[in-house]
Structure formats: C-alpha cells, structure tokens
Amino acid sequence: MYLEYFGLDKLPFTISPDPDFLYPSPGHQEALAHLSYALTDQGGLICLTGEVGTGKTTLCRALMASIPEGDHVAYIFNPQLSPIELMQSICDDLGIAYERSASLKEVYASINEALVRFYGKHQRVICVIDEAQSMPVALLEQVRLLTNLETDREKLLTLVLVGQPELRDLLKRNDLRQLNQRITARYHLDLLSLTETSEYVEHRLVCAGGNQMLFDPAAIETIWRASEGTPRLINSICDRALLGAYATGSHLVSSDIASQAIIEVLGADYDAVPPVHVGKGAAGIAETSGKYILKSALAFCAAAVFVFAGVIAYQNIPALKTVSLDRSDPYAVLEASRTEGAANCDSSGWRCILVDWDISELRELNQIAVVRVGSGGAEAEWYDLEEYERGYAGEAVILWQAPADYTSAVKPGETASVIRWVRSRLGAGWDQEWTSIGPGGVQVEVNPEFYDPLLERAVAEFQIAEGLKADRIIGPKTLMYLQARQ
C-alpha cells in the first residue's frame, strides 16, 4: 500500500526470516561467527539462544545460505517429534533412503552409513534444530546419540541447537549433563540497544530500496522502549507506523505516529477518542487535547474516501470501545480473553488451576492460560499466554478440561475412577489371562480402577519420555500430557 508513496521496492519490515535483511549488529555478527563454526571440521554441537523475536531463525537461514555447494544441511523446525520421527526428518532433508517400517535402530544405521559416504567425498553435513527449548528430554537424548557419529578424528555430523533462553536452563538438568558437556560453542543473542535499533531500521529501509530515513529520532526511541530492542516487534511496529504515516500524508514517522502504532501492535491500554473525520487527501486523524492521534490503519481503510465526479464523500469512524480490565486478577483476565459462550472456570467439566510450570511447558501443552508478568506484589499483571511472550514470572492459571471422573491426584496403591482412562491412554489394560491371587491364596476379582505396580511403571516411563518428574503421581500435568498424546 505505501511502497510507491515512500519510494520502496519491497516491504522493509516483514517478520519473515529473510536473510537478505539480516542486520549485522555486533551481536549478530558474533552469533553468526559461532554458527559458522559448524562449517569447520570441528563443529560438533553448537547452541544458539536468544529471546523471542531476536533473529535466531534469520541467522540460521543466513548460515544455510552460506553453506558451500556439495555440503548437506537438514533443518528441523518442529521439535515436537518422537525420536524415530526426528531421525526420519533428518533422512528426508538429507536425501537418505530408509524403509518406512524401519525401526529406530535401522534408521540410525542408515544415517551413519550415509554420513560415512559423505565424509568419504569430503562433504560436510549440518543439522539445525530450531525451537529446541520445546524438545522433550527423550528427544534431546536422541540428539546426544547423534553426536556419537564420528570417525577416530572428526565428527560426521554437526548439530546446531537454536532456542529461547529456556533452552539454557533445560540443558543444565542433571539428566542432560552428557549432552551439555558436548556443546563445543554456545552464544546468547541479546536485544538491540537504542543505537543499534536506529541502525537496524535504517538498514532495512536501505535493503528495501529506500534512500532516506523515514523515522525521526524521537520515533526511534519510542519504538525501542516499547519493543525493548526485539527485532520482530520493531518490524511489526515500524510496518504499522509507515502505514500510519501514509494514512496521514506524512513522509516522516513522528513519535506520535509511532506511539499509536505501538498501541495497535501491542494492545496497550488507551483512552477512548472521539469519532474521526476524514479530511483532505488520505488524512485519517482524530484531535484530542490538541494532539493528533493516528487511528487504526484498518479503520482508515474502512473509512472509505469515495471519489465520484470530483466529489469526495466522508464517513465517520466510530471510536474504539475502551474496556477496563483488572490485570491484577488472573481469573478476570482469563474470563475477558474468552469469547462469549465459551467455556469458563464454572463450566461443567472445566476447572481453573494455578501452576508454576515453565513457559515452554505451557506452550507445549497448548492449554488456555493466562500468565503472571512482573516482579510480584502490586506490580504483577496477568496476560493471555498468546498475547504476552516476555517477562513470565513463573505463575499461570490454566483453564483445563480434566478427564471424566478426575477429582484429585492419584498415588500408587490408591483407587480412582480416572485410572480406567489412564489405562486406556497408555494402552496398559489388564491382561485377561492373568489371575489375581489375594491373601491366603484366594483368587480375587481384578479392580481396573486400582493403581497397581504395572500401571505405576507405565506412568513412570511415560513421565520420563515426556521430560517430566517421574514421581508416578497422576496429577494435572501428567494428565495434560496424556491428553496431548496422539
């Protein structure tokens, strides 16, 4: 919409990881240098971490674009795989043939054979695994086994783990210490400074064919403070700000235009404004206390300036409705985030539970949730999990539909109706050919709702496979993971 207006060849602030727009900040250059270590014969295992939206995936794309012809690369962007699915995905990306019915051991052997063949041709093989913080422990253990593919002198495969800061904490687990010790290079990508943000914006404008800076210094500082230097957020805000400048007929983004763009992108609280009257040209502004506030670009488009026989017709845009929301109350925020008629804490079969789980687990479980943001006390606020990605303070309220008949956590040796459901989910039903002998050698009838040692072992194995604490207690977290199991 605004490309021709600003003299640009393409959109400068898309959020797709285009390596052509990679901004070479000192941090990004150093991170790329660490990743380029994968192109040496001593690569081994490399770990790159950074906050959401800092450009990790863009760096990975830049790395893959720089791989010499003849070398091979596999890119795994979905960490929610089983060990054999991971191995099959690597085979698919590297063009390694395998039987679909092959076991994990057989697929592993196929990869090893192919890597030896590539090595004989002096061809490097690199596997990049994105969003690695969401990988269950069992899958990370498979990654460790992949690092064993080597000759007496060199590694046959270089692995690059890319993830959010939670990945660093995950690798510190005692049961993952073998994997952590094998990391040969690691780097954490920091957010951009104010100066870097200005250079970043200018760099992307130049890459898009621009020949002038379209943001004044005050606008850059406003955007930097709101985004905290996160490139993805900077892109979203700048894109909306350029649309706003175009809508108001301005060739320079001011601090006021940037502020309104921030409201539209981040959903910050704002006061209601009077209706907007579309004036000359493409102006879509509202006057409040002597200040012009840019309205939503979508609302501007909907305002419809119709031109017929040189006559301009005007249409009022109604002011956005302001909703007062108490963000200190998680249940109020949770209720406000639901659509009318949707399930809530009081709906039959649903319940709200307060948890202290990792943010990666909340995303992995894909449950309806609100999270606490802030340091606690009066400053703590609650936001919808999908709405807020940073500043998680370690507490969340989940709206959860529990399995039928579940009332409370069940420990081994106890009896509960939900045990039938757990047996079915784990495929751990009673063997009808077995005979249960009670005290005195008397045959007794089997109770399928009894949490017996055989089911206890199956639950523990499931918890270990999912990276959970193997406490053998059937509680909300274990049940949610069971519900998510295909």
Side-chain angles (χ1 to χ4, degrees):
M1 178 181 292
Y2 57 71
L3 292 183
E4 183 177 354
Y5 182 78
F6 289 113
L8 302 173
D9 298 329
K10 52 185 175 180
L11 293 173
F13 297 108
T14 62
I15 60 174
S16 58
D18 187 346
D20 290 341
F21 280 90
L22 179 63
Y23 164 62
S25 73
H28 285 77
Q29 289 185 55
E30 188 172 350
L32 190 57
H34 279 72
L35 289 178
S36 297
Y37 188 55
L39 300 179
T40 71
D41 294 331
Q42 308 297 325
L45 180 60
I46 299 168
C47 182
L48 172 66
T49 56
E51 277 291 353
V52 174
T54 49
K56 301 183 297 297
T57 301
T58 304
L59 281 170
C60 290
R61 297 289 175 87
L63 170 69
M64 291 187 289
S66 67
I67 291 176
E69 184 177 355
D71 288 352
H72 306 271
V73 61
Y75 180 57
I76 308 300
F77 57 87
N78 175 20
Q80 298 299 314
L81 302 171
S82 66
I84 191 168
E85 288 173 337
L86 172 65
M87 305 295 277
Q88 290 172 340
S89 296
I90 292 175
C91 286
D92 292 340
D93 278 12
L94 297 179
I96 300 174
Y98 63 94
E99 294 291 337
R100 285 292 173 181
S101 59
S103 66
L104 178 60
K105 179 180 179 181
E106 291 170 334
V107 178
Y108 185 88
S110 297
I111 292 177
N112 184 54
E113 181 182 344
L115 293 182
V116 171
R117 188 166 61 251
F118 293 146
Y119 177 76
K121 298 178 181 179
H122 304 287
Q123 297 173 343
R124 300 184 184 90
V125 182
I126 300 167
C127 177
V128 179
I129 303 177
D130 210 346
E131 299 296 338
Q133 79 284 344
S134 298
M135 297 176 71
V137 172
L139 200 58
L140 286 169
E141 175 62 16
Q142 189 61 48
V143 170
R144 184 186 69 81
L145 295 176
L146 286 171
T147 64
N148 290 334
L149 299 174
E150 57 190 357
T151 66
D152 291 338
R153 297 182 179 180
E154 298 176 7
K155 295 289 184 182
L156 295 175
L157 173 67
T158 294
L159 287 150
V160 181
L161 294 180
V162 182
Q164 296 168 22
E166 293 89 345
L167 177 60
R168 294 186 298 180
D169 299 330
L170 180 61
L171 292 172
K172 292 178 183 178
R173 288 176 49 141
N174 186 60
D175 53 347
L176 290 176
R177 62 188 183 280
Q178 292 189 63
L179 176 63
N180 195 33
Q181 291 171 2
R182 297 187 183 206
I183 296 176
T184 54
R186 66 184 82 205
Y187 186 78
H188 183 74
L189 194 59
D190 290 322
L191 302 175
L192 300 179
S193 67
L194 174 58
T195 300
E196 290 171 340
T197 298
S198 180
E199 294 172 351
Y200 173 83
V201 171
E202 186 172 5
H203 171 79
R204 293 192 71 101
L205 288 170
V206 171
C207 290
N211 57 13
Q212 61 180 331
M213 184 59 167
L214 301 177
F215 295 75
D216 68 26
I220 290 294
E221 182 171 358
T222 299
I223 293 170
W224 172 70
R225 292 187 182 280
S227 66
E228 299 180 358
T230 304
R232 185 184 298 166
L233 288 179
I234 293 173
N235 286 357
S236 297
I237 295 170
C238 286
D239 178 68
R240 183 54 62 91
L242 285 179
L243 189 59
Y246 165 75
T248 57
S250 173
H251 282 84
L252 186 68
V253 174
S254 65
S255 179
D256 285 346
I257 292 177
S259 295
Q260 184 61 28
I262 290 165
I263 291 175
E264 294 172 3
V265 171
L266 300 183
D269 293 337
Y270 55 91
D271 295 327
V273 296
V276 177
H277 299 275
V278 179
K280 293 182 179 180
I285 52 178
E287 185 175 6
T288 303
S289 301
K291 293 182 65 177
Y292 287 94
I293 302 177
L294 170 67
K295 290 303 297 173
S296 165
L298 293 179
F300 161 74
C301 294
V305 180
F306 300 103
V307 182
F308 296 101
V311 179
I312 300 179
Y314 307 104
Q315 177 180 335
N316 288 342
I317 304 175
L320 297 176
K321 181 180 179 181
T322 301
V323 179
S324 179
L325 180 61
D326 181 8
R327 291 200 173 274
S328 65
D329 182 358
Y331 301 97
V333 176
L334 186 61
E335 180 69 21
S337 67
R338 310 271 47 83
T339 58
E340 185 176 352
N344 54 47
C345 299
D346 299 324
S347 299
S348 176
W350 293 80
R351 64 183 68 190
C352 288
I353 58 173
L354 179 66
V355 300
D356 58 355
W357 303 343
D358 291 338
I359 193 72
S360 58
E361 289 181 312
L362 296 176
R363 293 197 182 101
E364 182 177 356
L365 289 169
N366 197 29
Q367 297 282 347
I368 300 169
V370 294
V371 296
R372 183 168 68 83
V373 175
S375 57
E379 298 179 357
E381 293 186 331
W382 294 80
Y383 290 85
D384 188 281
L385 177 60
E386 297 181 358
E387 175 186 356
Y388 207 89
E389 295 185 336
R390 300 192 314 278
Y392 177 57
E395 286 186 329
V397 173
I398 296 177
L399 177 60
W400 175 47
Q401 186 174 29
D405 301 323
Y406 174 74
T407 55
S408 60
V410 186
K411 298 179 181 179
E414 297 180 345
T415 300
S417 300
V418 76
I419 292 298
R420 291 178 180 268
W421 182 87
V422 174
R423 287 189 191 284
S424 173
R425 207 69 176 177
L426 288 175
W430 280 96
D431 191 325
Q432 299 302 316
E433 297 180 358
W434 286 20
T435 300
S436 182
I437 304 299
V442 179
Q443 181 176 341
V444 296
E445 183 179 353
V446 169
N447 182 0
E449 296 183 355
F450 175 66
Y451 191 178
D452 62 274
L454 289 177
L455 180 60
E456 178 184 346
R457 184 176 67 180
V459 169
E461 290 175 349
F462 173 78
Q463 291 174 328
I464 292 172
E466 296 295 331
L468 306 176
K469 180 181 179 181
D471 57 9
R472 296 167 170 78
I473 298 175
I474 301 175
K477 184 184 289 189
T478 297
L479 290 172
M480 288 183 198
Y481 271 86
L482 281 170
Q483 288 174 323
R485 187 176 190 178
Q486 299 297 327

